[in-house]
Amino acid sequence: MRVGFGWEATNNAAKTKGWAHTHFQFDPVGWRQTQTLKGPNMSSLSEPIGRLYLRPMHPRNPGDKARAASAVELFSDLVFATAILFAGSQIHHVLGQGNFGHGVVSYLLVMFFIWWTWVNFAWLSSSFEVDDWLYRSLAAIQMLGVLVVAGGVEQTFGGTVNVALIGYITIRAAQIGQWARASRCGGQAGRAALIYAVGIAVLAVLWVVCALWVPFLALPLVVGELAVPVIAERIGHTPWHAPHITERYGLLTLIVLGGSLRAAAIAVSRALGDHVPALFGVAVLSVLVAGGMWWIYFWAPHRDVINPKRYLSPLKYGYLHYFIFAAAGAFAAAVEVIIDLLAHDNYLMEHQAGLTLSIPVGVFVVAAWLAVLREHAPLPVSISLPVAGVLIVLEGFLPFPFIFIALTVVMLVTLLVLYQPVPSRATEDHKSVEDTADVS
């Protein structure tokens, strides 16, 4: 048991009534117990409300079986997904003009800003419990900042990152405040939260320096951003909740994949308006491939992939989702590129348009295998998925690549129907965490 690592545990009598909860906090001097009153959709009433109507941020129980995404988290996911899809819609215009290198680099940079700030908030909200006006206000500031980042996508594609940087700094300022509040809980969780707050603050200043005077610092700063959680979780520990955090990742992936359905609707509309019957086929193939990507991603239970006893396990899961989110957003943009090609609104060569489609789908399949499926896959599935991902990328060079990509995805789904996921090494570790929480 980690010293200073606290969580809530609900006694058996309270579970039936849903109102009276007992709060246990383990600190260097032992267990402390306080009575908590809770009701449906009500926050904890055990803590006194200060003059500013604020409550302390407590570490959550990592074994709480009833943990689910809150309304604030769901709204935040919707805003971040909107930003991802907006960035994708902008890159489709850049790719349609043939500016592949610049367009891809700019898209990946904007995606990093959006993805990384979302990961940070998802991790904080999974680890600490509070729902007062300050928490919601800082969350709203983050949402405003990510919309500014998305609004600056066009300028970023043009070579100016000032608008996106303003949005990024806005998000980070709010997150510094959130982590600083969480650090007051003390113990391992508080120590980790303090490292997050300090690391984010230092890197935010360096990003401003990078944008104004030293642009070649961008790559080292990206590495620095990724290093902060590694250091924080190594020195301290945030009590993240595996089913909750994986639910958050799954929800955002699902919303971003929905962007391809919007592209399918555009294909139908243009087929009717521009009298291009082939666009009906694009709509059908878009839905087919998006459905296959959804099936692949959700084939195995995500909660058993991240091991609560290995601090790098959840970091690997989260970092690989950068490629999943970026690929899902780029796929929706690629469908629009194909639509413009068939409607003669761009003059790309067929293999160029094909690669804009095949690369995102192939990257999505390989990233989903690495992040989720590899831990659960029997040998035939574990071999087929990465091979199919590479094959899908190469299919971009073929005539009518969308058809071949869809056929490959359908074959992958058929394989996943024939084989069932196998338990991962983390399954028993999750069970032990939940059993510990029940005993408490």
Side-chain angles (χ1 to χ4, degrees):
M1 181 82 58
R2 294 180 181 270
V3 174
F5 183 80
W7 61 66
E8 278 192 359
T10 305
N11 58 27
N12 292 330
K15 288 180 180 177
T16 58
K17 296 181 180 180
W19 285 93
H21 291 240
T22 303
H23 181 82
F24 295 91
Q25 177 77 25
F26 184 70
D27 58 23
V29 297
W31 290 97
R32 293 188 287 108
Q33 176 176 339
T34 59
Q35 190 66 24
T36 303
L37 296 180
K38 283 190 177 181
N41 301 318
M42 294 179 66
S43 61
S44 172
L45 300 178
S46 65
E47 296 293 343
I49 300 177
R51 289 181 299 175
L52 297 178
Y53 295 90
L54 298 177
R55 302 181 188 276
M57 292 182 75
H58 285 304
R60 290 187 181 274
N61 175 5
D64 182 5
K65 296 179 181 179
R67 178 76 172 100
S70 68
V72 175
E73 292 168 330
L74 293 173
F75 188 33
S76 174
D77 291 348
L78 181 61
V79 173
F80 276 85
T82 300
I84 292 173
L85 292 174
F86 184 79
S89 69
Q90 293 300 307
I91 194 179
H92 122 257
H93 297 296
V94 177
L95 295 178
Q97 297 168 2
N99 299 325
F100 294 101
H102 178 68
V104 169
V105 171
S106 299
Y107 174 73
L108 293 178
L109 178 62
V110 171
M111 270 301 307
F112 176 80
F113 285 158
I114 297 172
W115 160 78
W116 190 235
T117 50
W118 177 86
V119 167
N120 201 269
F121 179 61
W123 208 258
L124 175 123
S125 60
S126 181
S127 301
F128 296 93
E129 180 180 20
V130 74
D131 190 17
D132 54 23
W133 67 266
L134 181 57
Y135 173 80
R136 292 191 174 198
S137 298
L138 290 174
I141 292 172
Q142 294 175 67
M143 298 177 207
L144 175 63
V146 77
L147 292 177
V148 173
V149 172
V153 166
E154 187 173 353
Q155 287 81 1
T156 303
F157 287 161
T160 303
V161 299
N162 293 347
V163 176
L165 182 64
I166 291 172
Y168 185 72
I169 297 302
T170 301
I171 302 169
R172 296 313 246 172
Q175 292 181 342
I176 291 168
Q178 298 277 40
W179 282 112
R181 284 190 73 190
S183 69
R184 299 185 64 185
C185 71
Q188 294 280 351
R191 187 178 300 119
L194 181 61
I195 295 172
Y196 277 109
V198 173
I200 291 170
V202 171
L203 287 164
V205 173
L206 291 177
W207 275 112
V208 175
V209 174
C210 173
L212 297 179
W213 299 293
V214 195
F216 61 82
L217 277 179
L219 184 58
L221 287 179
V222 169
V223 176
E225 292 275 9
L226 298 176
V228 170
V230 177
I231 297 170
E233 299 297 329
R234 182 68 175 178
I235 297 176
H237 180 72
T238 51
W240 47 271
H241 188 276
H244 169 257
I245 197 71
T246 53
E247 178 191 27
R248 295 287 304 282
Y249 277 98
L251 288 172
L252 189 62
T253 302
L254 194 61
I255 298 172
V256 176
L257 278 175
S260 57
L261 303 182
R262 170 186 172 274
I266 292 174
V268 173
S269 176
R270 303 263 328 246
L272 295 172
D274 298 344
H275 305 291
V276 184
L279 291 179
F280 287 114
V282 170
V284 173
L285 292 173
S286 300
V287 175
L288 192 62
V289 173
M293 293 165 72
W294 163 82
W295 196 301
I296 292 168
Y297 180 83
F298 288 104
W299 175 70
H302 287 225
R303 58 156 288 173
D304 291 339
V305 173
I306 53 178
N307 194 323
K309 295 185 178 180
R310 295 161 57 195
Y311 83 100
L312 287 178
S313 175
L315 298 180
K316 183 192 75 170
Y317 176 83
Y319 290 178
L320 285 170
H321 269 78
Y322 169 73
F323 301 98
I324 292 174
F325 293 156
F331 171 65
V335 174
E336 295 191 51
V337 170
I338 298 296
I339 293 171
D340 289 346
L341 178 68
L342 294 177
H344 305 291
D345 288 341
N346 66 43
Y347 299 96
L348 296 178
M349 298 180 66
E350 187 174 355
H351 76 273
Q352 291 176 320
L355 287 173
T356 65
L357 186 68
S358 65
I359 291 175
V361 180
V363 168
F364 184 95
V365 170
V366 174
W369 171 70
L370 288 171
V372 184
L373 280 73
R374 190 164 62 99
E375 296 286 339
H376 291 278
L379 187 60
V381 174
S382 194
I383 293 174
S384 299
L385 280 167
V387 171
V390 175
L391 180 62
I392 287 171
V393 172
L394 296 177
E395 287 171 347
F397 292 101
L398 298 176
F400 310 108
F402 213 161
I403 297 175
F404 290 100
I405 292 170
L407 288 174
T408 304
V409 170
V410 169
M411 287 190 288
L412 282 177
V413 171
T414 303
L415 181 68
L416 296 181
V417 171
L418 296 176
Y419 287 92
Q420 295 299 314
V422 297
S424 72
R425 291 174 295 178
T427 304
E428 289 301 318
D429 291 329
H430 281 295
K431 187 176 184 302
S432 67
V433 169
E434 292 176 354
D435 290 343
T436 300
D438 289 340
V439 170
S440 300

